[in-house]
Each structure stands twice: as C-alpha cells, then as structure tokens.
Amino acid sequence: MYGLISIPNELVYDVINHPYFQRLRHIKQLGLSHLVYPGALHTRFHHAIGAMHLMIQAVDTLKAKGIKISPKEAEGVILAILLHDIGHGPFSHSLEYTIIKGINHEEMSLCIMELLNKTFKGKLTIAIQIFQNKYPKKFLHQLVSSQLDMDRLDYLNRDSFFTGVSEGIVGSDRIIKMLAVENDTLVVEAKGIYSIEKFLIARRLMYWQVYLHKTVLGAEKILINILTRAKELQLKHPHLFATPALKYFLQNNITNKNWHQNSEALTYFLQLDDHDIMSSIKVWVSHEDKVLSILCHNLIARNLYKVEIQNEAFSKTRINTLKKDVMLTLKINPTDLKYFVFTDSVNNSAYNAATKNSISVLFKNHSVLDVAKASDQLNLTMLSNTVTKQVLFYPKIK
C-alpha cells in the first residue's frame, strides 16, 4: 500500500522483532470477514506497521510546521501507535470479551507494553504515557487514539484495499498534510475539511458494508458460541481437546479483577492466536456433543447463521416459531436453543461530536470549530447520530 517503509531506529526495530509483536502476524485484522471478502486475510501485524508509517509522516508534518516534538517524544509516539493493538486476542474483536471477561484490547495492550518496558529497561515509558494520555503534550495521544488518528487512517484504507470495498478509501496523505496543533490540541487546517468529510462518510460506509456486514456478524456469532459451548463442556469433560494456551482459558474464568493478579494468564494469552482456535475447532467437528459439533461443522463448512437486520425489535412470536422449527429439525434440547436462535443489536456511529476527542477545524484567524459545525455538508451532522439496528440470528434449515 505504501511502498517501502523505513524503521526509524534500533529500538523500534527491536520491538518489532520481539515475539510479543511477531504474534500479531497470526491474528487477522478483520476476524472472519474473509468468509465474505476472500482477500481480507491481512493481519494486525500489517496494520501496526502501516500505522507506524503514517505516524512518522504525521510527526514530520507537524515538526515542519514548527510544532516542537523532541526526538524522544517522536520515538515515544511512534512506539505507542506501533503497540496500540498488541493486546488483541485471536480473530481481533470477535473474541474480545469471550476469552477474558470485562477487559478490552486496550487494557491488554497496556499490560503487554508495561511488560515490554521492563524488557527494554524503561525505554518505552514515554510511549506508555502517551498511550494512557498522561503525557503533558496531549496532541501526541490524539495522534494515537482519537476520532482522527493514525490507527483509523490506516485501517480504513487497508481494510478497503484487502476487501475490495472502494468506498472506504480515504486521502490519508492529504489529511496528514493538513494536520496542525492549536493550544495543545490536534486540529485540521480548514482547507482540509473536505478530506475529513470524505473520511467520516467512508468510515460510516465501511461499518455497514464490512465491519457490520450481516454475514460477517453471523460468522462471528458462531465463533463466539463455539467457545462459549466449549467452556461449558470443559467443566464436564476435562479432557476436551484444545491447544495448551486455549485450554488454560477454557479451564479458568479470567475476569478483569483476577487478570491483574495473575501473571500466568498473561503468559498464556501471549501464546494465543488464530491457529489455536481453528486447530481446536477442526477437532471439535467430531466431538460427541451435538451442539459443539454442529456449530464447528457449520463454521468450517461456511454454513453460517441466517441473519436479518431491521430497525424495530423482532416479535416474540417470530422468535418462538423459529425456535420450535430449529428444535424439531436439529433434534436438540430447549436449553440449547440459545446457541441457534437469538437476537442482538448493532450500533454504527461514524462521528461523536460530544467527546473530548472531537475533530477540530482550524481557520486562518486561529478560531477552532468542530467539524460537524464547520462543514457545509448537512449530512455530516447526521453522521454524528448513532444508528442502532436489531439483529436476528438462526440456522439455515430446510
């Protein structure tokens, strides 16, 4: 996508070569989206390197405009974006709250960054402060995590490229060239406003066409239900096959509370990637438990849930009818229907003007205005509204 990418210094090179970072080569960026878009096989490793490249460009742009960024600060913000996703588990967001309850990938990333900081004898301290938004120069954190950061600029273009969904393409080069800092806040020069409008619209479209595509949602739900069922069975069948890393999380209930008191959990988590999950699922296809076997077979065979999406809630009559049909067809117990017929909701919010990290536009008179108010596009204000839709999942049965 970007051509040749240069690694800025030896420390960054050593961090990239560390096993914790190399693990990202085995975690797909878009989870199971390749079941819809066959080219979507890129990894978190690709994304992290790409985001690092954009960060180097952003730092160079700001320095050229007279913004003071020391070599150590530049190194820190580059390392922060490089490691921002290092806490992702298998299949990225698909299993974020399944393996470990109540802890998201940002918290996991912080734990791993602190572990790496010990390995590199405190050289990642500034990066961690920037990542946590505890560094005095707040605009550095905005470059890493905000509504217009190097993370989003990379993944929109990258996901668009690998899925073939051209609506996600954004002008990252121009956006970066338009960045500036005003009162320690990252802003976009007014002449770049149309690029920001395109960026926000592209993000909205990518959510509906890729991230919240109904078939992708169906695949992710099967994967979540497989691990939920496997964990349930582990209590009854201690010899349930699983790779050592996955088996640890099936046998133990790791929550946010006991995660921070258990260094063993982090050790096993750092051994866990997509291969652990798929290797186990391939074996579970032949498991004696009917529910687990059906779910695993359906995922491997791409016989995914049928998915319906609508604005209003689905009627209880419709849901109960589906449950009766599924129970009779698959010959399963009523208590197991939760794995086959269920509802959920999805949210799509391209932009939130109410947060502290809203996108600010800088005018020549040094006035600053939120992009939703500065834009002459009426639909940009509408993009600030969160759209919630109801989703119904059920198996394909004849």
Side-chain angles (χ1 to χ4, degrees):
M1 284 177 55
Y2 304 126
L4 294 175
I5 293 178
S6 298
I7 297 174
N9 60 43
E10 188 174 343
L11 175 59
V12 175
Y13 178 82
D14 290 341
V15 169
I16 290 173
N17 273 337
H18 195 279
Y20 297 168
F21 189 83
Q22 290 293 315
R23 166 181 163 272
L24 297 181
R25 290 183 183 272
H26 310 296
I27 296 176
K28 291 183 183 67
Q29 171 80 5
L30 290 181
L32 292 167
S33 296
H34 65 280
L35 295 178
V36 179
Y37 302 102
L41 295 169
H42 54 303
T43 67
R44 287 284 159 184
F45 182 90
H46 292 112
H47 167 55
I49 296 296
M52 177 198 74
H53 174 68
L54 296 184
M55 184 63 79
I56 292 171
Q57 291 184 337
V59 169
D60 289 344
T61 294
L62 294 178
K63 288 171 68 175
K65 293 181 180 181
I67 307 302
K68 292 183 179 180
I69 302 175
S70 71
K72 284 295 181 184
E73 290 170 340
E75 180 182 80
V77 76
I78 289 168
L79 285 167
I81 195 66
L82 184 70
L83 298 171
H84 77 285
D85 273 349
I86 200 169
H88 267 295
F91 294 99
S92 297
H93 291 287
S94 301
L95 301 180
E96 189 161 339
Y97 294 98
T98 304
I99 294 174
I100 301 173
K101 300 291 185 181
I103 182 167
N104 57 36
H105 75 273
E106 288 91 355
E107 294 175 88
M108 299 290 289
S109 292
L110 179 59
C111 291
I112 298 169
M113 288 171 73
E114 289 173 340
L115 195 60
L116 285 170
N117 199 30
K118 294 178 182 177
T119 301
F120 289 98
K121 300 178 180 179
K123 293 180 181 179
L124 274 61
T125 299
I126 293 178
I128 292 172
Q129 290 174 344
I130 292 171
F131 182 79
Q132 292 183 285
N133 199 19
K134 293 181 179 180
Y135 194 74
K137 294 182 179 179
K138 300 301 181 182
F139 72 88
L140 293 175
H141 174 76
Q142 289 179 287
L143 287 168
V144 176
S145 180
S146 66
Q147 294 192 80
L148 183 63
D149 53 34
M150 300 308 105
D151 174 28
R152 295 186 183 192
L153 285 181
D154 180 81
Y155 77 61
L156 281 176
N157 273 331
R158 186 171 302 280
D159 296 346
S160 175
F161 178 85
F162 283 99
T163 59
V165 178
S166 60
E167 287 82 356
I169 297 173
V170 296
S172 57
D173 287 345
R174 177 164 176 76
I175 290 174
I176 289 173
K177 293 297 182 185
M178 295 298 105
L179 294 178
V181 175
E182 185 75 8
N183 297 324
D184 195 32
T185 300
L186 189 69
V187 296
V188 180
E189 294 173 355
K191 55 187 176 181
I193 192 169
Y194 298 117
S195 296
I196 302 302
E197 290 172 355
K198 171 67 166 59
F199 162 77
L200 293 176
I201 293 171
R203 189 164 185 266
R204 180 65 156 249
L205 293 175
M206 282 294 284
Y207 265 85
W208 286 133
Q209 291 188 239
V210 179
Y211 311 130
L212 299 178
H213 188 288
K214 66 177 186 177
T215 308
V216 172
L217 294 176
E220 290 177 348
K221 285 296 184 181
I222 283 188
L223 183 58
I224 290 169
N225 283 345
I226 285 171
L227 283 195
T228 302
R229 183 64 171 187
K231 195 172 182 68
E232 180 182 318
L233 290 174
Q234 182 64 50
L235 300 176
K236 304 175 184 177
H237 304 279
H239 300 297
L240 177 73
F241 173 85
T243 64
L246 177 57
K247 198 172 191 68
Y248 176 84
F249 291 100
L250 294 179
Q251 290 176 331
N252 298 280
N253 290 317
I254 306 299
T255 63
N256 192 312
K257 184 177 180 180
N258 60 27
W259 165 263
H260 297 284
Q261 303 168 353
N262 189 351
S263 59
E264 186 181 46
L266 180 57
T267 300
Y268 278 105
F269 182 82
L270 288 165
Q271 299 171 20
L272 198 62
D273 59 36
D274 291 3
H275 299 306
D276 293 87
I277 306 298
M278 290 311 299
S279 297
S280 302
I281 287 175
K282 287 172 69 176
V283 174
W284 294 340
V285 167
S286 303
H287 196 274
E288 62 183 16
D289 179 75
K290 190 171 186 178
V291 173
L292 184 63
S293 177
I294 291 174
L295 292 173
C296 291
H297 176 271
N298 286 351
L299 181 60
I300 295 295
R302 198 188 176 278
N303 182 26
L304 309 175
Y305 292 121
K306 287 186 68 66
V307 180
E308 296 180 17
I309 300 179
Q310 62 185 38
N311 294 325
E312 64 276 3
F314 289 88
S315 70
K316 291 183 178 180
T317 302
R318 173 85 193 288
I319 295 170
N320 289 334
T321 299
L322 281 170
K323 286 182 176 180
K324 289 179 182 178
D325 291 343
V326 169
M327 187 169 61
L328 291 173
T329 303
L330 297 182
K331 295 180 173 59
I332 58 174
N333 297 322
T335 54
D336 294 329
L337 279 171
K338 62 184 178 182
Y339 290 105
F340 296 98
V341 182
F342 52 93
T343 59
D344 200 353
S345 62
V346 293
N347 300 312
N348 187 349
S349 178
Y351 179 64
N352 186 353
T355 68
K356 293 181 180 179
N357 284 323
S358 58
I359 301 174
S360 299
V361 178
L362 176 66
F363 294 89
K364 289 185 178 180
N365 63 0
H366 291 281
S367 63
V368 175
L369 199 60
D370 183 272
V371 66
K373 296 179 180 179
S375 172
D376 56 9
Q377 296 289 326
L378 293 176
N379 61 353
L380 202 59
T381 302
M382 295 302 296
L383 287 178
S384 301
N385 299 327
T386 298
V387 176
T388 300
K389 291 183 178 291
Q390 305 302 314
V391 190
L392 172 64
F393 300 87
Y394 56 95
K396 299 174 183 176
I397 53 176
K398 294 181 181 180

